Amino acid sequence: MDVRVGAGRVREGLRTVARLLRRAGARLAWQYPRRGRTGWRRWVLSWRQWLGLLAYALIGLVGVTGIAYAMTDVPTNLNTFATQQDNVFYWSDGTEMARTGPVDRQAVPLSQVPVPVQWDVLAAENETFYTDDGVSPRGILRAGYEMIKGQDTQGGSTITQQYVKNVYLNQAQTLSRKITEMFIATKLDSKLSKQQILDGYLNTSWFGRGTYGIERAARAYYGVDVSQLNVSQGAFLATLLKGAGLYDPAISADNRQRAVTRWNWILDRMVVIHQLTPAQRARYKVFPDPIQPRLQGGLTGQTGYLVDLATQYVSAHSAADARRFDLGGFQIYTTFEKPRVKALAAAVKGASKGLDPAKRAADAHVAFGAATVAADGRILAVYGGPDYLQQGFDNANTSTVPVGTAFTPLVYAAGLSQGVQLQHGGPRTPVTAQTQYSGDNKVMVHTPEGPYWNRDGRIVRVANEGGRSYGPVTLHEAVVDSINGPMAQLGMDVGLAQVRTTAENFGLLPESMGDPVPTFSLGNSTPSAIRMADAYGAFAADGLHVAPYSVSRLLLGGHEVALDSPQRTQAISADVAHEIDSALADAVSSGSGQGAQIPGLRVAGKTGTMLDATSGWFVGYTGQDVTAVTMFRSDLKTGAMLPLTGVLGAPATQSTSTVPTRIWVRYTKVTAAKG
């Protein structure tokens, strides 16, 4: 029967029902307010009237649903899958930087997917697939409930509904889309066989790592054809259907834990629905860890790191999540400046030329990371590693390297802004640049209650670099000469919780914060080079902090896509910012950072070292653009930081910040000359 004829008959039937209801409604209205009742009882409906109204509403709802169902057709055109495109990334000057795509998708017949793997998916997503009518009433009721609460709809869809969403509709979680999905799914279920629907679903679902369809997912996660998957591997792939960004173990340890939990649950469900025997289930006790993601070709040198940064930013700050982004068609205008990126890579290469692991064990596994961030938050350049295709891990964006004494300007900022509390429960006392502290070596650390005792039952004392004692020094001098004792004690006097809050106000991420012990003020935190450069930007910008960002404009098919605006906060007052800027300038002109001097330029910056020599930093600026450079060594198996002592044949007495400072100077000379 023609859909339009059917819809016409439905409408005619509804008109007849409406006439009858209008007559009933008229009688109800004629008896309202109710006769024979007095006071408030005249205005309360009788149970017959309530039943009449309920019947009226129910018939109306059924009628509207019937009309909507009759008027909903199965679309003849597929959605974005038919027009997949590359994503194009651009440099800040508008020239093309890179292209990624097309979407990794290859359809295979259902017969090539092992039956146990098919049931892995059904156990995870829709175990009643072969007996249901293509819709989930519970899912529709949940959608309505979420709409009433003013929230997005979610969950409860059958395989058929998910297939409809994948190929005919979109991923928007709205009630109207959910209802349309239900109508199309019901019609599709009567039009196609269950095998055809499952075939289409498995070939169009998103599995992460840029893959659509279970064939490409099998290759991306296990390096095999889908026909070679076993039930255990299939159970893992089924977990990804809940959201690869939450379950891909390569992304994080938390992801792996979630994946293991759901993998176990799916295999247990396979027993419940009689697709595995308990004995068969018992064979799979070890989680089938997937292989590491393959790096995309064409993203050589620093380009891959830049593309990753921009992609992460788009996913976090726009409606284009990873699933939609993988479909392509986006134009991403980044903040990266090509000349700066090239100059930064050249500076690292030039300063690290003498590395010779065969000659010196200390030169093994030495790594560098660097980033330039403008005071307005634009990430202008990064150095993520020697080559993205050789090392996908981004050293400029890692949160594993302790920042050392490059952290102390933030402690200074907290002290100048919030003052100190020298007595428990007492008032906070202001401090200034001229407030004096003891600069002696191995000075005792105090709390308002007395000396600070560590867990070993010993009083904590702070050593200065080189074991030097300075006597009484001002806080300004302590920053200039990188004296550890005063900074550690200032942090205790301000309160480590307050110092942490100040650091986070400068953009350092909570998860990168170190343990709240005296060495917290000396840099046991592990912010990335990007975050450190961004934090120092506030010193050069009158205390204004702008969150770092790597994408200035995003388009889809030539149309603007909204991006979140970078967060802007007044981290500290302009007066405090000016004092810290002055101390950083003095550190370069006459203090611990003299190696960063560049004739003719005012340089402000700070070295960063750890007493155990496990990292070296320099963070500095000549105007409004801040560059942070870090050097470190790590055990490739455990990830533990290794000492830098003796790297490049340097004497043990040489500061670990020497090479990062040298890189900073090489780079800044080039960019300052061009700028």
Side-chain angles (χ1 to χ4, degrees):
M1 182 177 68
D2 187 273
V3 171
R4 289 172 294 183
V5 174
R9 291 180 181 177
V10 171
R11 286 194 291 271
E12 183 58 36
L14 288 174
R15 291 192 190 100
T16 302
V17 173
R19 284 196 295 271
L20 294 174
L21 289 174
R22 278 199 298 272
R23 293 173 187 172
R27 287 195 295 273
L28 285 172
W30 180 75
Q31 296 176 5
Y32 190 81
R34 295 168 63 191
R35 292 177 297 177
R37 299 289 188 275
T38 60
W40 60 270
R41 291 181 179 83
R42 298 178 62 217
W43 305 97
V44 178
L45 296 176
S46 69
W47 65 271
R48 292 185 180 86
Q49 289 171 320
W50 277 115
L51 285 177
L53 288 175
L54 181 61
Y56 189 91
L58 185 59
I59 293 172
L61 178 61
V62 171
V64 170
T65 303
I67 291 173
Y69 178 79
M71 297 180 68
T72 300
D73 294 323
V74 176
T76 57
N77 296 321
L78 300 182
N79 61 12
T80 319
F81 283 94
T83 56
Q84 295 165 358
Q85 304 174 59
D86 290 345
N87 289 320
V88 186
F89 295 78
Y90 298 91
W91 294 102
S92 62
D93 63 3
T95 58
E96 186 175 314
M97 180 175 75
R99 289 175 177 262
T100 60
V103 172
D104 191 0
R105 184 169 65 94
Q106 178 183 342
V108 294
L110 187 63
S111 60
Q112 291 188 21
V113 182
V115 172
V117 175
Q118 296 179 33
W119 276 104
D120 279 325
V121 173
L122 296 179
E125 296 293 310
N126 183 193
E127 63 188 47
T128 62
F129 172 71
Y130 283 108
T131 58
D132 64 37
D133 295 322
V135 297
S136 168
R138 184 177 62 179
I140 300 304
L141 290 175
R142 182 184 296 127
Y145 176 67
E146 297 293 345
M147 184 200 69
I148 292 171
K149 292 197 304 181
Q151 300 178 3
D152 288 342
T153 64
Q154 53 185 298
S157 295
T158 64
I159 291 289
T160 308
Q161 287 175 263
Q162 293 182 51
Y163 175 56
V164 167
K165 178 176 64 175
N166 285 347
V167 301
Y168 295 122
L169 303 176
N170 54 53
Q171 302 298 321
Q173 297 287 350
T174 62
L175 183 62
S176 62
R177 199 232 66 208
K178 194 79 174 178
I179 292 173
T180 303
E181 170 193 296
M182 178 188 68
F183 291 156
I184 296 176
T186 302
K187 292 188 174 184
L188 202 65
D189 191 73
S190 62
K191 183 179 180 181
L192 301 178
S193 70
K194 289 291 188 179
Q195 288 75 16
Q196 287 175 305
I197 293 171
L198 183 58
D199 180 296
Y201 174 73
L202 291 175
N203 280 310
T204 57
S205 292
W206 184 67
F207 287 87
R209 297 193 181 181
T211 63
Y212 280 81
I214 196 165
E215 163 63 20
R216 288 304 187 190
R219 294 191 178 279
Y221 289 93
Y222 291 108
V224 299
D225 185 83
V226 65
S227 63
Q228 298 174 281
L229 290 174
N230 61 41
V231 68
S232 176
Q233 294 167 330
F236 165 70
L237 294 182
T239 69
L240 299 170
L241 295 169
K242 279 290 185 186
L246 293 174
Y247 292 95
D248 184 349
I251 295 176
S252 70
D254 288 342
N255 272 24
R256 188 182 187 280
Q257 183 57 54
R258 279 190 290 266
V260 171
T261 300
R262 187 159 175 80
W263 169 79
N264 274 309
W265 179 84
I266 291 172
L267 290 177
D268 290 342
R269 290 301 301 172
M270 291 283 279
V271 176
V272 172
I273 63 177
H274 307 296
Q275 295 300 318
L276 283 179
T277 66
Q280 289 172 325
R281 167 65 179 95
R283 298 175 192 168
Y284 302 108
K285 296 180 180 180
V286 179
F287 178 68
D289 277 298
I291 62 177
Q292 287 299 305
R294 292 187 178 91
L295 300 175
Q296 187 164 358
L299 302 181
T300 58
Q302 299 303 305
T303 305
Y305 304 117
L306 304 178
V307 167
D308 276 357
L309 276 176
T311 301
Q312 292 166 17
Y313 189 84
V314 167
S315 294
H317 297 278
S318 77
D321 62 11
R323 181 195 302 264
R324 178 61 191 87
F325 199 76
D326 280 344
L327 286 174
F330 287 91
Q331 297 85 50
I332 305 97
Y333 290 85
T334 74
T335 59
F336 307 127
E337 297 182 1
K338 187 175 182 179
R340 285 183 177 271
V341 172
K342 292 179 64 177
L344 191 53
V348 173
K349 184 177 180 180
S352 59
K353 248 179 192 176
L355 286 174
D356 189 353
K359 182 178 179 181
R360 289 179 295 270
D363 286 358
H365 313 311
V366 174
F368 300 90
T372 300
V373 182
D376 60 10
R378 289 174 297 130
I379 303 175
L380 304 179
V382 299
Y383 176 84
D387 189 294
Y388 180 75
L389 297 184
Q390 297 176 24
Q391 175 198 295
F393 186 75
D394 186 355
N395 294 338
N397 202 31
T398 181
S399 290
T400 59
V401 184
V403 67
T405 49
F407 186 81
T408 55
L410 302 179
V411 181
Y412 192 29
L416 294 177
S417 300
Q418 302 179 45
V420 297
Q421 188 177 37
L422 301 179
Q423 295 181 350
H424 183 70
R428 299 193 76 84
T429 304
V431 295
T432 69
Q434 298 307 311
T435 299
Q436 290 194 337
Y437 275 74
S438 172
D440 288 340
N441 187 46
K442 295 187 177 180
V443 66
M444 187 185 302
V445 176
H446 287 82
T447 71
E449 291 81 13
Y452 185 96
W453 299 77
N454 65 17
R455 294 178 181 176
D456 297 332
R458 298 179 180 179
I459 293 177
V460 172
R461 297 176 179 274
V462 178
N464 293 327
E465 188 170 2
R468 179 180 173 185
S469 288
Y470 295 81
V473 294
T474 66
L475 290 176
H476 182 97
E477 291 170 334
V479 174
V480 170
D481 291 322
S482 197
I483 308 173
N484 292 340
M487 288 295 105
Q489 187 59 56
L490 177 63
M492 299 300 293
D493 293 345
V494 174
L496 297 183
Q498 286 82 354
V499 174
R500 174 183 174 130
T501 298
T502 298
E504 291 177 5
N505 289 341
F506 278 86
L508 270 62
L509 300 177
E511 56 267 29
S512 71
M513 293 290 102
D515 293 333
V517 293
T519 52
F520 178 78
S521 297
L522 301 179
N524 66 8
S525 298
T526 56
S528 67
I530 291 173
R531 290 287 171 173
M532 281 306 295
D534 177 65
Y536 272 50
F539 303 143
D542 298 330
L544 178 66
H545 172 259
V546 183
Y549 66 99
S550 56
V551 178
S552 59
R553 190 182 181 203
L554 180 66
L555 294 98
L556 176 59
H559 301 286
E560 293 282 349
V561 177
L563 282 169
D564 296 338
S565 298
Q567 185 179 9
R568 307 168 71 89
T569 57
Q570 192 68 37
I572 49 175
S573 70
D575 288 343
V576 170
H578 295 162
E579 162 53 28
I580 299 173
D581 172 74
S582 172
L584 295 176
D586 289 347
V588 174
S589 63
S590 60
S592 60
Q594 293 182 55
Q597 293 177 4
I598 300 176
L601 291 178
R602 179 188 185 272
V603 177
K606 180 74 179 70
T607 56
T609 59
M610 295 288 290
L611 287 174
D612 61 3
T614 53
S615 66
W617 288 74
F618 187 80
V619 188
Y621 53 92
T622 60
Q624 294 278 299
D625 303 334
V626 184
T627 300
V629 182
T630 181
M631 178 177 72
F632 59 96
R633 293 176 66 220
S634 59
D635 187 301
L636 298 183
K637 292 183 178 179
T638 66
M641 291 292 112
L642 302 174
L644 291 166
T645 307
V647 168
L648 287 166
T653 55
Q654 183 170 299
S655 172
T656 56
S657 65
T658 299
V659 177
T661 303
R662 190 182 305 153
I663 292 170
W664 188 92
V665 170
R666 283 174 177 258
Y667 168 69
T668 303
K669 282 181 177 179
V670 173
T671 54
K674 293 181 178 179

PDB file of all heavy atoms in Angstrom, residues 62 71 202 314 456 479 555:
ATOM      1  N   VAL A  62      -1.855   8.117  20.490  1.00  0.00           N
ATOM      2  CA  VAL A  62      -1.799   7.018  19.530  1.00  0.00           C
ATOM      3  C   VAL A  62      -2.003   7.531  18.116  1.00  0.00           C
ATOM      4  O   VAL A  62      -1.334   7.113  17.164  1.00  0.00           O
ATOM      5  CB  VAL A  62      -2.853   5.945  19.884  1.00  0.00           C
ATOM      6  CG1 VAL A  62      -2.946   4.909  18.774  1.00  0.00           C
ATOM      7  CG2 VAL A  62      -2.497   5.275  21.203  1.00  0.00           C
ATOM      8  N   MET A  71       4.012   8.517   7.985  1.00  0.00           N
ATOM      9  CA  MET A  71       4.662   9.540   7.154  1.00  0.00           C
ATOM     10  C   MET A  71       6.186   9.407   7.150  1.00  0.00           C
ATOM     11  O   MET A  71       6.864  10.162   6.454  1.00  0.00           O
ATOM     12  CB  MET A  71       4.253  10.933   7.630  1.00  0.00           C
ATOM     13  CG  MET A  71       2.764  11.193   7.477  1.00  0.00           C
ATOM     14  SD  MET A  71       2.280  12.839   8.025  1.00  0.00           S
ATOM     15  CE  MET A  71       3.064  13.861   6.784  1.00  0.00           C
ATOM     16  N   LEU A 202      27.792  -4.155  11.561  1.00  0.00           N
ATOM     17  CA  LEU A 202      29.204  -4.454  11.802  1.00  0.00           C
ATOM     18  C   LEU A 202      30.120  -3.752  10.811  1.00  0.00           C
ATOM     19  O   LEU A 202      31.285  -3.486  11.119  1.00  0.00           O
ATOM     20  CB  LEU A 202      29.439  -5.967  11.740  1.00  0.00           C
ATOM     21  CG  LEU A 202      28.826  -6.790  12.878  1.00  0.00           C
ATOM     22  CD1 LEU A 202      29.029  -8.275  12.638  1.00  0.00           C
ATOM     23  CD2 LEU A 202      29.415  -6.377  14.220  1.00  0.00           C
ATOM     24  N   VAL A 314      40.277  20.029  18.997  1.00  0.00           N
ATOM     25  CA  VAL A 314      38.962  20.035  18.347  1.00  0.00           C
ATOM     26  C   VAL A 314      37.999  19.110  19.083  1.00  0.00           C
ATOM     27  O   VAL A 314      36.842  19.465  19.347  1.00  0.00           O
ATOM     28  CB  VAL A 314      39.097  19.624  16.865  1.00  0.00           C
ATOM     29  CG1 VAL A 314      37.727  19.323  16.258  1.00  0.00           C
ATOM     30  CG2 VAL A 314      39.785  20.730  16.072  1.00  0.00           C
ATOM     31  N   ASP A 456      60.161   9.186  57.801  1.00  0.00           N
ATOM     32  CA  ASP A 456      61.237   8.410  58.419  1.00  0.00           C
ATOM     33  C   ASP A 456      61.576   8.915  59.816  1.00  0.00           C
ATOM     34  O   ASP A 456      62.504   8.419  60.453  1.00  0.00           O
ATOM     35  CB  ASP A 456      62.507   8.457  57.556  1.00  0.00           C
ATOM     36  CG  ASP A 456      62.297   7.818  56.198  1.00  0.00           C
ATOM     37  OD1 ASP A 456      61.447   6.912  56.108  1.00  0.00           O
ATOM     38  OD2 ASP A 456      62.969   8.230  55.236  1.00  0.00           O
ATOM     39  N   VAL A 479      64.780  34.018  44.024  1.00  0.00           N
ATOM     40  CA  VAL A 479      64.344  33.646  42.675  1.00  0.00           C
ATOM     41  C   VAL A 479      65.475  33.882  41.682  1.00  0.00           C
ATOM     42  O   VAL A 479      65.756  33.037  40.818  1.00  0.00           O
ATOM     43  CB  VAL A 479      63.086  34.439  42.270  1.00  0.00           C
ATOM     44  CG1 VAL A 479      62.727  34.168  40.815  1.00  0.00           C
ATOM     45  CG2 VAL A 479      61.914  34.083  43.173  1.00  0.00           C
ATOM     46  N   LEU A 555      36.128  24.643  10.312  1.00  0.00           N
ATOM     47  CA  LEU A 555      35.046  24.635   9.333  1.00  0.00           C
ATOM     48  C   LEU A 555      34.724  23.204   8.937  1.00  0.00           C
ATOM     49  O   LEU A 555      35.588  22.325   8.974  1.00  0.00           O
ATOM     50  CB  LEU A 555      35.411  25.430   8.082  1.00  0.00           C
ATOM     51  CG  LEU A 555      35.598  26.939   8.243  1.00  0.00           C
ATOM     52  CD1 LEU A 555      37.086  27.261   8.375  1.00  0.00           C
ATOM     53  CD2 LEU A 555      35.028  27.693   7.060  1.00  0.00           C
TER      54      LEU A 555
END
